[in-house]
Amino acid sequence: MASPILNRFKQYLPILQWAKTYDRDTATSDLVAAVIVTIMLIPQSLAYALLAGLPAEMGLYASILPLVAYAIFGTSRALAVGPVAVVSLMTAAAVGNLGLSDPLEIAVAAGTLAFISGVILTVLGVLRLGFLANFLSHPVIAGFITASGILIAVSQLKHIFGIKLSGDNLPEQIATFFEHVGDTNLITLAIGVAATAFLFWVRKGLKPLLIRSGMKPRLADISAKAGPVAAVVVTTLIAWGFGLAERGVKVVGDIPMGLPPLTMPSISPSLWSELFVPALLISIIGFVESVSVAKTLAAKRRQRISPDQELIGRGTSNIAAAVSGGYPVTGGFSRSVVNFDAGAETPAAGAYTAVGIGLATLLLTPLIYFLPNATLAATIIVAVLSLVDFSILKTAWGYSKVDFAAVAATILLTLGFGVEAGVSAGVLLSIGLHLYKTSRPHVAEVGLVPNTEHFRNIKRHKVETKPHLVTLRVDESLYFANASFLEDYVLGRVTCDQPIRDVVLQMTAVNEVDLSALETLEELNHRLKDMGISLHLSEVKGPVMDRLKRSHLLDHLTGKVYLSQFNAWQALSPAPQDPEAGKSSEADAA
């Protein structure tokens, strides 16, 4: 029998669970996946670092030690951690707001942002607060990612056209684009357009072409995933061979050789205060994005992940990025899917990928001196446009006008006011939507379906009712935000010329009654008593009943508590003169 200490270690160190069954076949699968992801990750890492407004090598650095940290602390077998488009954009906005000009200070600020984010995530994980991510609704996340994809794609036009472009929101970016479009470098434009067109074709057309030419599907898939590398190699050779850097084409330039340096985040209180809110937003968005990917991939293999441990895994990854010259990271959708499809069996695939990226920083960085920035911009544009999904607007409009308003507002605010305003509005909208929906709980007046013991909404079904009896089904837990709504609803229903003498609240769907709701129920009981009406409860769940027993509500309740709604119906149906009325079905809640 395992000791409690060992179990606790396994809980916080998932590597201890999968490492004991690790064998040669698993290692082979992980190595193959690592090779494929490494090939994909090198150009992505460089591109995303430039998107974040950082030196290109920081993208490589953020793809080494963080992957090792996640392999130790993460629970997903396929999630690939590293720089991603949305977090890179948020990093650019956060660091850009500091007004720094010294490249060293900018790099330190980005590392500090990663460190703060890592601390936030790790603390939330240790405190088991993974459920907090649920407060960010899927429609709002979808709207934010769609708007971010548009912002990112537009921001890269400066590299495609070889012009200056600035602004944190879409109107500013469009305005500066048209202001400087006359300065377009035609050679840069040709490279950018060609690379973009090639990468779009690679994504859709290369694999089918290779299969038709006789290549096996798996090899064709791997070759298609290496498309960005082909674009990098060809455009780099062209830029080098024709001396395009001397003709105004912006290239990556010098990238330091060697493994990531040991770096330390800033301890400046003023810098921490400026970066804390952006770090919190990056943590929330990054976690929600990565945990949704991890859950999807885990379900395909009948595996499971622990959201709380995922917080720790992502937190330690960001701390690792901060101390190794990187910037904030999270689990990327595209590379995780590639990792999964390539056959990754364990998080060790990420560690092997880190080794591959490390070798690239040792051996390959001089070879990409002449890599055009336009090629990296094309890589970003092709990647992020797959995130843009306006179909969520149509779906939300058809399903829920409230959710549609939330999605549309998030998209418009992100495009109009920038990333931080958009994500802040998204968080507030998610919480606001929850409060709005639960503050007006669905309450249905129900009646007995003939010849059954079932009760249904009188507006939807042909049911039996009694003029003196009102039975209401409450379809929401009761708390401070909706208790008054229920009170007003009940009092509004009984204020009529019917001879009502009993009200039954069917509490099948009530999982919680907080103190504010308890006081409201007590007040409702008192006001109904003054009107000569008894208040009854039915189908109260055990945990709710346990708490009600610790209050004064049941002592002063004018009616009774029934085990089932049908029991209440039977007991309260007889005429008032029947001396046995109301006695046969009294019961505690189940």
Side-chain angles (χ1 to χ4, degrees), residues 145-179:
I145 291 177
T146 291
S148 297
I150 296 172
L151 282 178
I152 292 169
V154 173
S155 73
Q156 295 309 296
L157 293 180
K158 63 184 177 184
H159 297 303
I160 298 293
F161 284 78
I163 62 176
K164 293 181 179 179
L165 191 151
S166 60
D168 296 327
N169 55 62
L170 190 60
E172 291 177 356
Q173 290 179 351
I174 292 176
T176 56
F177 172 78
F178 284 108
E179 181 181 344

PDB file of all heavy atoms in Angstrom, residues 145-179:
ATOM      1  N   ILE A 145     -10.693  35.136 -29.197  1.00  0.00           N
ATOM      2  CA  ILE A 145      -9.678  34.518 -30.054  1.00  0.00           C
ATOM      3  C   ILE A 145      -9.883  34.923 -31.514  1.00  0.00           C
ATOM      4  O   ILE A 145      -8.912  35.178 -32.240  1.00  0.00           O
ATOM      5  CB  ILE A 145      -9.706  32.984 -29.892  1.00  0.00           C
ATOM      6  CG1 ILE A 145      -9.195  32.611 -28.495  1.00  0.00           C
ATOM      7  CG2 ILE A 145      -8.881  32.295 -30.962  1.00  0.00           C
ATOM      8  CD1 ILE A 145      -9.232  31.131 -28.192  1.00  0.00           C
ATOM      9  N   THR A 146     -11.140  34.998 -31.960  1.00  0.00           N
ATOM     10  CA  THR A 146     -11.415  35.448 -33.324  1.00  0.00           C
ATOM     11  C   THR A 146     -10.902  36.873 -33.548  1.00  0.00           C
ATOM     12  O   THR A 146     -10.221  37.161 -34.541  1.00  0.00           O
ATOM     13  CB  THR A 146     -12.925  35.381 -33.612  1.00  0.00           C
ATOM     14  OG1 THR A 146     -13.331  34.015 -33.671  1.00  0.00           O
ATOM     15  CG2 THR A 146     -13.262  36.048 -34.941  1.00  0.00           C
ATOM     16  N   ALA A 147     -11.221  37.770 -32.625  1.00  0.00           N
ATOM     17  CA  ALA A 147     -10.764  39.154 -32.758  1.00  0.00           C
ATOM     18  C   ALA A 147      -9.249  39.239 -32.682  1.00  0.00           C
ATOM     19  O   ALA A 147      -8.619  40.004 -33.426  1.00  0.00           O
ATOM     20  CB  ALA A 147     -11.402  40.017 -31.669  1.00  0.00           C
ATOM     21  N   SER A 148      -8.637  38.459 -31.792  1.00  0.00           N
ATOM     22  CA  SER A 148      -7.180  38.461 -31.663  1.00  0.00           C
ATOM     23  C   SER A 148      -6.524  37.979 -32.948  1.00  0.00           C
ATOM     24  O   SER A 148      -5.489  38.497 -33.366  1.00  0.00           O
ATOM     25  CB  SER A 148      -6.746  37.575 -30.488  1.00  0.00           C
ATOM     26  OG  SER A 148      -7.242  38.082 -29.274  1.00  0.00           O
ATOM     27  N   GLY A 149      -7.126  36.956 -33.574  1.00  0.00           N
ATOM     28  CA  GLY A 149      -6.587  36.456 -34.840  1.00  0.00           C
ATOM     29  C   GLY A 149      -6.569  37.540 -35.907  1.00  0.00           C
ATOM     30  O   GLY A 149      -5.596  37.669 -36.669  1.00  0.00           O
ATOM     31  N   ILE A 150      -7.632  38.342 -35.955  1.00  0.00           N
ATOM     32  CA  ILE A 150      -7.684  39.440 -36.927  1.00  0.00           C
ATOM     33  C   ILE A 150      -6.621  40.484 -36.610  1.00  0.00           C
ATOM     34  O   ILE A 150      -5.890  40.957 -37.495  1.00  0.00           O
ATOM     35  CB  ILE A 150      -9.081  40.079 -36.926  1.00  0.00           C
ATOM     36  CG1 ILE A 150     -10.126  39.070 -37.404  1.00  0.00           C
ATOM     37  CG2 ILE A 150      -9.112  41.328 -37.802  1.00  0.00           C
ATOM     38  CD1 ILE A 150     -11.549  39.552 -37.250  1.00  0.00           C
ATOM     39  N   LEU A 151      -6.507  40.861 -35.329  1.00  0.00           N
ATOM     40  CA  LEU A 151      -5.506  41.847 -34.930  1.00  0.00           C
ATOM     41  C   LEU A 151      -4.089  41.379 -35.265  1.00  0.00           C
ATOM     42  O   LEU A 151      -3.256  42.148 -35.753  1.00  0.00           O
ATOM     43  CB  LEU A 151      -5.610  42.125 -33.427  1.00  0.00           C
ATOM     44  CG  LEU A 151      -6.733  43.048 -32.952  1.00  0.00           C
ATOM     45  CD1 LEU A 151      -6.698  43.166 -31.439  1.00  0.00           C
ATOM     46  CD2 LEU A 151      -6.591  44.433 -33.574  1.00  0.00           C
ATOM     47  N   ILE A 152      -3.825  40.100 -34.992  1.00  0.00           N
ATOM     48  CA  ILE A 152      -2.483  39.562 -35.249  1.00  0.00           C
ATOM     49  C   ILE A 152      -2.185  39.580 -36.746  1.00  0.00           C
ATOM     50  O   ILE A 152      -1.105  39.995 -37.174  1.00  0.00           O
ATOM     51  CB  ILE A 152      -2.372  38.132 -34.690  1.00  0.00           C
ATOM     52  CG1 ILE A 152      -2.415  38.159 -33.154  1.00  0.00           C
ATOM     53  CG2 ILE A 152      -1.078  37.462 -35.161  1.00  0.00           C
ATOM     54  CD1 ILE A 152      -2.582  36.783 -32.528  1.00  0.00           C
ATOM     55  N   ALA A 153      -3.151  39.117 -37.538  1.00  0.00           N
ATOM     56  CA  ALA A 153      -2.936  39.066 -38.991  1.00  0.00           C
ATOM     57  C   ALA A 153      -2.689  40.468 -39.548  1.00  0.00           C
ATOM     58  O   ALA A 153      -1.767  40.677 -40.349  1.00  0.00           O
ATOM     59  CB  ALA A 153      -4.133  38.413 -39.678  1.00  0.00           C
ATOM     60  N   VAL A 154      -3.488  41.446 -39.118  1.00  0.00           N
ATOM     61  CA  VAL A 154      -3.306  42.819 -39.609  1.00  0.00           C
ATOM     62  C   VAL A 154      -1.961  43.386 -39.147  1.00  0.00           C
ATOM     63  O   VAL A 154      -1.275  44.085 -39.897  1.00  0.00           O
ATOM     64  CB  VAL A 154      -4.468  43.714 -39.144  1.00  0.00           C
ATOM     65  CG1 VAL A 154      -4.211  45.177 -39.491  1.00  0.00           C
ATOM     66  CG2 VAL A 154      -5.774  43.250 -39.776  1.00  0.00           C
ATOM     67  N   SER A 155      -1.566  43.059 -37.912  1.00  0.00           N
ATOM     68  CA  SER A 155      -0.300  43.589 -37.398  1.00  0.00           C
ATOM     69  C   SER A 155       0.898  43.096 -38.193  1.00  0.00           C
ATOM     70  O   SER A 155       1.944  43.749 -38.222  1.00  0.00           O
ATOM     71  CB  SER A 155      -0.131  43.213 -35.923  1.00  0.00           C
ATOM     72  OG  SER A 155       0.176  41.829 -35.778  1.00  0.00           O
ATOM     73  N   GLN A 156       0.776  41.957 -38.857  1.00  0.00           N
ATOM     74  CA  GLN A 156       1.890  41.395 -39.616  1.00  0.00           C
ATOM     75  C   GLN A 156       2.014  41.976 -41.013  1.00  0.00           C
ATOM     76  O   GLN A 156       2.974  41.680 -41.736  1.00  0.00           O
ATOM     77  CB  GLN A 156       1.742  39.876 -39.693  1.00  0.00           C
ATOM     78  CG  GLN A 156       1.854  39.181 -38.354  1.00  0.00           C
ATOM     79  CD  GLN A 156       3.109  39.591 -37.586  1.00  0.00           C
ATOM     80  OE1 GLN A 156       4.224  39.329 -38.013  1.00  0.00           O
ATOM     81  NE2 GLN A 156       2.915  40.265 -36.464  1.00  0.00           N
ATOM     82  N   LEU A 157       1.057  42.806 -41.397  1.00  0.00           N
ATOM     83  CA  LEU A 157       1.150  43.431 -42.717  1.00  0.00           C
ATOM     84  C   LEU A 157       2.380  44.323 -42.831  1.00  0.00           C
ATOM     85  O   LEU A 157       2.889  44.553 -43.928  1.00  0.00           O
ATOM     86  CB  LEU A 157      -0.125  44.229 -43.003  1.00  0.00           C
ATOM     87  CG  LEU A 157      -1.415  43.417 -43.170  1.00  0.00           C
ATOM     88  CD1 LEU A 157      -2.588  44.343 -43.447  1.00  0.00           C
ATOM     89  CD2 LEU A 157      -1.273  42.387 -44.284  1.00  0.00           C
ATOM     90  N   LYS A 158       2.858  44.825 -41.691  1.00  0.00           N
ATOM     91  CA  LYS A 158       4.052  45.672 -41.743  1.00  0.00           C
ATOM     92  C   LYS A 158       5.262  44.885 -42.243  1.00  0.00           C
ATOM     93  O   LYS A 158       6.124  45.440 -42.946  1.00  0.00           O
ATOM     94  CB  LYS A 158       4.348  46.258 -40.359  1.00  0.00           C
ATOM     95  CG  LYS A 158       4.667  45.224 -39.277  1.00  0.00           C
ATOM     96  CD  LYS A 158       4.858  45.888 -37.927  1.00  0.00           C
ATOM     97  CE  LYS A 158       5.104  44.853 -36.832  1.00  0.00           C
ATOM     98  NZ  LYS A 158       5.195  45.468 -35.494  1.00  0.00           N
ATOM     99  N   HIS A 159       5.322  43.587 -41.905  1.00  0.00           N
ATOM    100  CA  HIS A 159       6.430  42.765 -42.389  1.00  0.00           C
ATOM    101  C   HIS A 159       6.195  42.311 -43.828  1.00  0.00           C
ATOM    102  O   HIS A 159       7.146  42.151 -44.592  1.00  0.00           O
ATOM    103  CB  HIS A 159       6.618  41.554 -41.481  1.00  0.00           C
ATOM    104  CG  HIS A 159       6.992  41.906 -40.079  1.00  0.00           C
ATOM    105  ND1 HIS A 159       8.099  42.654 -39.762  1.00  0.00           N
ATOM    106  CD2 HIS A 159       6.385  41.603 -38.888  1.00  0.00           C
ATOM    107  CE1 HIS A 159       8.174  42.806 -38.443  1.00  0.00           C
ATOM    108  NE2 HIS A 159       7.147  42.177 -37.897  1.00  0.00           N
ATOM    109  N   ILE A 160       4.937  42.081 -44.178  1.00  0.00           N
ATOM    110  CA  ILE A 160       4.629  41.655 -45.549  1.00  0.00           C
ATOM    111  C   ILE A 160       4.914  42.787 -46.543  1.00  0.00           C
ATOM    112  O   ILE A 160       5.451  42.555 -47.633  1.00  0.00           O
ATOM    113  CB  ILE A 160       3.157  41.217 -45.666  1.00  0.00           C
ATOM    114  CG1 ILE A 160       2.871  40.001 -44.751  1.00  0.00           C
ATOM    115  CG2 ILE A 160       2.792  40.893 -47.111  1.00  0.00           C
ATOM    116  CD1 ILE A 160       3.588  38.735 -45.163  1.00  0.00           C
ATOM    117  N   PHE A 161       4.576  44.022 -46.164  1.00  0.00           N
ATOM    118  CA  PHE A 161       4.766  45.177 -47.056  1.00  0.00           C
ATOM    119  C   PHE A 161       6.098  45.889 -46.821  1.00  0.00           C
ATOM    120  O   PHE A 161       6.482  46.746 -47.616  1.00  0.00           O
ATOM    121  CB  PHE A 161       3.620  46.175 -46.874  1.00  0.00           C
ATOM    122  CG  PHE A 161       2.337  45.747 -47.519  1.00  0.00           C
ATOM    123  CD1 PHE A 161       1.516  44.797 -46.929  1.00  0.00           C
ATOM    124  CD2 PHE A 161       1.938  46.288 -48.729  1.00  0.00           C
ATOM    125  CE1 PHE A 161       0.332  44.393 -47.516  1.00  0.00           C
ATOM    126  CE2 PHE A 161       0.750  45.900 -49.334  1.00  0.00           C
ATOM    127  CZ  PHE A 161      -0.051  44.940 -48.726  1.00  0.00           C
ATOM    128  N   GLY A 162       6.756  45.568 -45.699  1.00  0.00           N
ATOM    129  CA  GLY A 162       8.006  46.253 -45.401  1.00  0.00           C
ATOM    130  C   GLY A 162       7.813  47.700 -45.017  1.00  0.00           C
ATOM    131  O   GLY A 162       8.590  48.582 -45.394  1.00  0.00           O
ATOM    132  N   ILE A 163       6.755  47.985 -44.253  1.00  0.00           N
ATOM    133  CA  ILE A 163       6.434  49.362 -43.868  1.00  0.00           C
ATOM    134  C   ILE A 163       6.286  49.460 -42.362  1.00  0.00           C
ATOM    135  O   ILE A 163       6.272  48.448 -41.651  1.00  0.00           O
ATOM    136  CB  ILE A 163       5.128  49.842 -44.538  1.00  0.00           C
ATOM    137  CG1 ILE A 163       3.947  48.961 -44.074  1.00  0.00           C
ATOM    138  CG2 ILE A 163       5.259  49.844 -46.051  1.00  0.00           C
ATOM    139  CD1 ILE A 163       2.598  49.412 -44.604  1.00  0.00           C
ATOM    140  N   LYS A 164       6.146  50.686 -41.872  1.00  0.00           N
ATOM    141  CA  LYS A 164       5.879  50.904 -40.459  1.00  0.00           C
ATOM    142  C   LYS A 164       4.378  50.752 -40.209  1.00  0.00           C
ATOM    143  O   LYS A 164       3.564  51.193 -41.017  1.00  0.00           O
ATOM    144  CB  LYS A 164       6.326  52.293 -40.029  1.00  0.00           C
ATOM    145  CG  LYS A 164       7.840  52.500 -40.075  1.00  0.00           C
ATOM    146  CD  LYS A 164       8.190  53.906 -39.606  1.00  0.00           C
ATOM    147  CE  LYS A 164       9.704  54.108 -39.628  1.00  0.00           C
ATOM    148  NZ  LYS A 164      10.078  55.480 -39.197  1.00  0.00           N
ATOM    149  N   LEU A 165       4.044  50.131 -39.100  1.00  0.00           N
ATOM    150  CA  LEU A 165       2.635  49.966 -38.724  1.00  0.00           C
ATOM    151  C   LEU A 165       2.582  49.891 -37.210  1.00  0.00           C
ATOM    152  O   LEU A 165       3.333  49.135 -36.598  1.00  0.00           O
ATOM    153  CB  LEU A 165       2.048  48.711 -39.362  1.00  0.00           C
ATOM    154  CG  LEU A 165       0.523  48.523 -39.279  1.00  0.00           C
ATOM    155  CD1 LEU A 165       0.021  47.720 -40.469  1.00  0.00           C
ATOM    156  CD2 LEU A 165       0.126  47.797 -37.992  1.00  0.00           C
ATOM    157  N   SER A 166       1.710  50.669 -36.610  1.00  0.00           N
ATOM    158  CA  SER A 166       1.618  50.681 -35.151  1.00  0.00           C
ATOM    159  C   SER A 166       0.161  50.734 -34.729  1.00  0.00           C
ATOM    160  O   SER A 166      -0.736  50.896 -35.551  1.00  0.00           O
ATOM    161  CB  SER A 166       2.371  51.894 -34.584  1.00  0.00           C
ATOM    162  OG  SER A 166       1.824  53.099 -35.087  1.00  0.00           O
ATOM    163  N   GLY A 167      -0.048  50.591 -33.425  1.00  0.00           N
ATOM    164  CA  GLY A 167      -1.410  50.638 -32.890  1.00  0.00           C
ATOM    165  C   GLY A 167      -1.773  49.373 -32.156  1.00  0.00           C
ATOM    166  O   GLY A 167      -1.347  48.274 -32.532  1.00  0.00           O
ATOM    167  N   ASP A 168      -2.565  49.542 -31.093  1.00  0.00           N
ATOM    168  CA  ASP A 168      -2.993  48.396 -30.294  1.00  0.00           C
ATOM    169  C   ASP A 168      -4.381  47.901 -30.677  1.00  0.00           C
ATOM    170  O   ASP A 168      -4.859  46.928 -30.108  1.00  0.00           O
ATOM    171  CB  ASP A 168      -2.997  48.771 -28.800  1.00  0.00           C
ATOM    172  CG  ASP A 168      -1.592  49.091 -28.295  1.00  0.00           C
ATOM    173  OD1 ASP A 168      -0.639  48.474 -28.802  1.00  0.00           O
ATOM    174  OD2 ASP A 168      -1.473  49.957 -27.408  1.00  0.00           O
ATOM    175  N   ASN A 169      -5.036  48.581 -31.621  1.00  0.00           N
ATOM    176  CA  ASN A 169      -6.363  48.163 -32.020  1.00  0.00           C
ATOM    177  C   ASN A 169      -6.504  48.268 -33.531  1.00  0.00           C
ATOM    178  O   ASN A 169      -5.636  48.827 -34.220  1.00  0.00           O
ATOM    179  CB  ASN A 169      -7.441  48.982 -31.294  1.00  0.00           C
ATOM    180  CG  ASN A 169      -7.257  50.472 -31.504  1.00  0.00           C
ATOM    181  OD1 ASN A 169      -7.324  50.966 -32.624  1.00  0.00           O
ATOM    182  ND2 ASN A 169      -7.023  51.204 -30.411  1.00  0.00           N
ATOM    183  N   LEU A 170      -7.583  47.736 -34.057  1.00  0.00           N
ATOM    184  CA  LEU A 170      -7.747  47.650 -35.510  1.00  0.00           C
ATOM    185  C   LEU A 170      -7.832  49.018 -36.183  1.00  0.00           C
ATOM    186  O   LEU A 170      -7.172  49.234 -37.216  1.00  0.00           O
ATOM    187  CB  LEU A 170      -8.976  46.803 -35.834  1.00  0.00           C
ATOM    188  CG  LEU A 170      -9.147  46.410 -37.308  1.00  0.00           C
ATOM    189  CD1 LEU A 170      -7.956  45.586 -37.786  1.00  0.00           C
ATOM    190  CD2 LEU A 170     -10.445  45.634 -37.497  1.00  0.00           C
ATOM    191  N   PRO A 171      -8.611  49.972 -35.684  1.00  0.00           N
ATOM    192  CA  PRO A 171      -8.652  51.286 -36.348  1.00  0.00           C
ATOM    193  C   PRO A 171      -7.282  51.943 -36.444  1.00  0.00           C
ATOM    194  O   PRO A 171      -6.930  52.519 -37.488  1.00  0.00           O
ATOM    195  CB  PRO A 171      -9.608  52.095 -35.455  1.00  0.00           C
ATOM    196  CG  PRO A 171     -10.490  51.067 -34.824  1.00  0.00           C
ATOM    197  CD  PRO A 171      -9.601  49.895 -34.585  1.00  0.00           C
ATOM    198  N   GLU A 172      -6.493  51.873 -35.368  1.00  0.00           N
ATOM    199  CA  GLU A 172      -5.160  52.480 -35.392  1.00  0.00           C
ATOM    200  C   GLU A 172      -4.256  51.772 -36.400  1.00  0.00           C
ATOM    201  O   GLU A 172      -3.495  52.413 -37.132  1.00  0.00           O
ATOM    202  CB  GLU A 172      -4.533  52.432 -33.994  1.00  0.00           C
ATOM    203  CG  GLU A 172      -5.199  53.345 -32.985  1.00  0.00           C
ATOM    204  CD  GLU A 172      -4.585  53.199 -31.606  1.00  0.00           C
ATOM    205  OE1 GLU A 172      -3.694  52.336 -31.437  1.00  0.00           O
ATOM    206  OE2 GLU A 172      -4.994  53.939 -30.693  1.00  0.00           O
ATOM    207  N   GLN A 173      -4.325  50.443 -36.439  1.00  0.00           N
ATOM    208  CA  GLN A 173      -3.480  49.691 -37.360  1.00  0.00           C
ATOM    209  C   GLN A 173      -3.847  49.993 -38.817  1.00  0.00           C
ATOM    210  O   GLN A 173      -2.965  50.173 -39.666  1.00  0.00           O
ATOM    211  CB  GLN A 173      -3.611  48.193 -37.081  1.00  0.00           C
ATOM    212  CG  GLN A 173      -2.974  47.753 -35.774  1.00  0.00           C
ATOM    213  CD  GLN A 173      -3.147  46.266 -35.528  1.00  0.00           C
ATOM    214  OE1 GLN A 173      -3.876  45.585 -36.232  1.00  0.00           O
ATOM    215  NE2 GLN A 173      -2.471  45.754 -34.508  1.00  0.00           N
ATOM    216  N   ILE A 174      -5.137  50.044 -39.105  1.00  0.00           N
ATOM    217  CA  ILE A 174      -5.575  50.335 -40.476  1.00  0.00           C
ATOM    218  C   ILE A 174      -5.163  51.753 -40.876  1.00  0.00           C
ATOM    219  O   ILE A 174      -4.700  51.994 -42.010  1.00  0.00           O
ATOM    220  CB  ILE A 174      -7.103  50.148 -40.605  1.00  0.00           C
ATOM    221  CG1 ILE A 174      -7.459  48.666 -40.462  1.00  0.00           C
ATOM    222  CG2 ILE A 174      -7.595  50.676 -41.946  1.00  0.00           C
ATOM    223  CD1 ILE A 174      -8.946  48.395 -40.468  1.00  0.00           C
ATOM    224  N   ALA A 175      -5.308  52.690 -39.948  1.00  0.00           N
ATOM    225  CA  ALA A 175      -4.953  54.080 -40.245  1.00  0.00           C
ATOM    226  C   ALA A 175      -3.462  54.204 -40.565  1.00  0.00           C
ATOM    227  O   ALA A 175      -3.079  54.857 -41.544  1.00  0.00           O
ATOM    228  CB  ALA A 175      -5.326  54.983 -39.075  1.00  0.00           C
ATOM    229  N   THR A 176      -2.613  53.585 -39.750  1.00  0.00           N
ATOM    230  CA  THR A 176      -1.171  53.681 -39.996  1.00  0.00           C
ATOM    231  C   THR A 176      -0.765  52.886 -41.235  1.00  0.00           C
ATOM    232  O   THR A 176       0.218  53.230 -41.907  1.00  0.00           O
ATOM    233  CB  THR A 176      -0.370  53.188 -38.781  1.00  0.00           C
ATOM    234  OG1 THR A 176      -0.767  51.843 -38.451  1.00  0.00           O
ATOM    235  CG2 THR A 176      -0.601  54.082 -37.575  1.00  0.00           C
ATOM    236  N   PHE A 177      -1.517  51.823 -41.545  1.00  0.00           N
ATOM    237  CA  PHE A 177      -1.211  51.056 -42.762  1.00  0.00           C
ATOM    238  C   PHE A 177      -1.383  51.932 -44.003  1.00  0.00           C
ATOM    239  O   PHE A 177      -0.499  52.008 -44.862  1.00  0.00           O
ATOM    240  CB  PHE A 177      -2.106  49.825 -42.853  1.00  0.00           C
ATOM    241  CG  PHE A 177      -1.980  49.086 -44.156  1.00  0.00           C
ATOM    242  CD1 PHE A 177      -0.895  48.249 -44.401  1.00  0.00           C
ATOM    243  CD2 PHE A 177      -2.939  49.233 -45.159  1.00  0.00           C
ATOM    244  CE1 PHE A 177      -0.767  47.587 -45.612  1.00  0.00           C
ATOM    245  CE2 PHE A 177      -2.823  48.570 -46.364  1.00  0.00           C
ATOM    246  CZ  PHE A 177      -1.729  47.739 -46.591  1.00  0.00           C
ATOM    247  N   PHE A 178      -2.514  52.603 -44.097  1.00  0.00           N
ATOM    248  CA  PHE A 178      -2.757  53.452 -45.263  1.00  0.00           C
ATOM    249  C   PHE A 178      -1.848  54.685 -45.262  1.00  0.00           C
ATOM    250  O   PHE A 178      -1.538  55.241 -46.323  1.00  0.00           O
ATOM    251  CB  PHE A 178      -4.225  53.864 -45.320  1.00  0.00           C
ATOM    252  CG  PHE A 178      -5.134  52.768 -45.794  1.00  0.00           C
ATOM    253  CD1 PHE A 178      -5.994  52.121 -44.918  1.00  0.00           C
ATOM    254  CD2 PHE A 178      -5.103  52.355 -47.123  1.00  0.00           C
ATOM    255  CE1 PHE A 178      -6.819  51.099 -45.355  1.00  0.00           C
ATOM    256  CE2 PHE A 178      -5.927  51.334 -47.573  1.00  0.00           C
ATOM    257  CZ  PHE A 178      -6.786  50.697 -46.691  1.00  0.00           C
ATOM    258  N   GLU A 179      -1.407  55.078 -44.088  1.00  0.00           N
ATOM    259  CA  GLU A 179      -0.494  56.219 -44.002  1.00  0.00           C
ATOM    260  C   GLU A 179       0.877  55.881 -44.586  1.00  0.00           C
ATOM    261  O   GLU A 179       1.545  56.742 -45.187  1.00  0.00           O
ATOM    262  CB  GLU A 179      -0.356  56.649 -42.538  1.00  0.00           C
ATOM    263  CG  GLU A 179       0.554  57.846 -42.324  1.00  0.00           C
ATOM    264  CD  GLU A 179       0.667  58.222 -40.851  1.00  0.00           C
ATOM    265  OE1 GLU A 179      -0.185  57.768 -40.053  1.00  0.00           O
ATOM    266  OE2 GLU A 179       1.605  58.966 -40.506  1.00  0.00           O
TER     267      GLU A 179
END
